[in-house]
Amino acid sequence: MRVKHDVNTQYSCQVGYPLDYSCAAYVHNRMYEVAGLNAICLSVEVKPEDFPAFIEGNRAMGMSGFDITTPFKSEVIQYLDECEESSRVFKCVNHVKWVDGKLVGVGLDGVGMGMAIARSGAKIEGSRVTILGAGAVAGPIAADLCKRGAKRVHIVNRTLEKAQYIAEQLMRLYPVEAVGVKWTKENLEKTAGETDLLVQCTTLGAAGHGKDYEDLHFIDCLPETATVADVLYPHTSLLDTAAARGLKTVNGMGMLACQQLAMMKFRFGIDMPDSALQDAEEAVDIAVAMRDLRLAKRTEEAKCHG
């Protein structure tokens, strides 16, 4: 896409370290284009020790804000004047904006998945939810589902303390029953039998990760009306197994695309049309292809110079 700018252009940044893998700036710019905005998002790689100076530079340049990836999603919270409560509790903020000189932040990973699940037609209100994993996105996703009316949440994780922390915070923030569960075959199968909505929040099955579920028999224990969602995309063994059973499935592409709509609402107050979801999905696919080509080229160049 062609990027034009002038004195009225609103500038923002995608900030992280490293940023070789990041696709967000391309996708954000596509959303700005679809909305007809005079705005640009730049990729800015910032070393951790330079992050405070970056924030001051962002303020001094009159930028509209910045979008955050690793390793700053938790780090940024201490610099915020205002932060959405569940984003603060689960230490996961990925979008910030300047409002009257104040820095306001929110985490939209959970919002993106909640929107994707809702748009799939799955019933969230009154549902029994099981979250697999207790990593960075597990808490925010569980929180958004609680906001949408889930009545009970089980957090299943190998480290029980992390699962219990999420459960405790959910019960503090929302009128919901929540419990942390130790990750065992028996617990997975028992919990699955009492689940309407299962959300996979680990890296198991991710391309290039090298590890996957050793046993997916717990999928057979889910009710026939259950929905299975995964933060990964487009296909994982878990999603394929659920689909083979005839269960409704939602992959991580929906989370990424819907998060773009939530980002546009947060940053600019714009309600994007449903048709923008297709633009967001296409932008993600293009950005991922460009990233993979870029990384492959660098790997080849390193071999040549080695």
Side-chain angles (χ1 to χ4, degrees), residues 87-156:
S87 302
R88 183 191 64 79
V89 166
F90 296 117
K91 301 178 177 63
C92 190
V93 170
N94 58 354
H95 299 280
V96 298
K97 62 182 179 181
W98 294 103
V99 180
D100 298 328
K102 293 183 178 181
L103 198 58
V104 180
V106 68
L108 295 179
D109 290 321
V111 174
M113 179 55 86
M115 287 176 64
I117 292 172
R119 287 172 177 270
S120 77
K123 185 177 182 295
I124 300 175
E125 186 174 2
S127 65
R128 301 166 297 173
V129 175
T130 293
I131 304 288
L132 301 181
V137 299
I141 288 174
D144 189 78
L145 295 174
C146 288
K147 290 178 184 177
R148 295 174 186 272
K151 72 174 183 180
R152 190 184 70 192
V153 180
H154 284 163
I155 310 294
V156 184

Side-chain angles (χ1 to χ4, degrees), residues 130-131 133-134 138 142 153-157 162-163 166-167 170 179-182:
T130 293
I131 304 288
V153 180
H154 284 163
I155 310 294
V156 184
N157 194 54
K162 291 183 178 180
I166 293 176
L170 291 175
V179 61
V181 179
K182 180 71 174 179

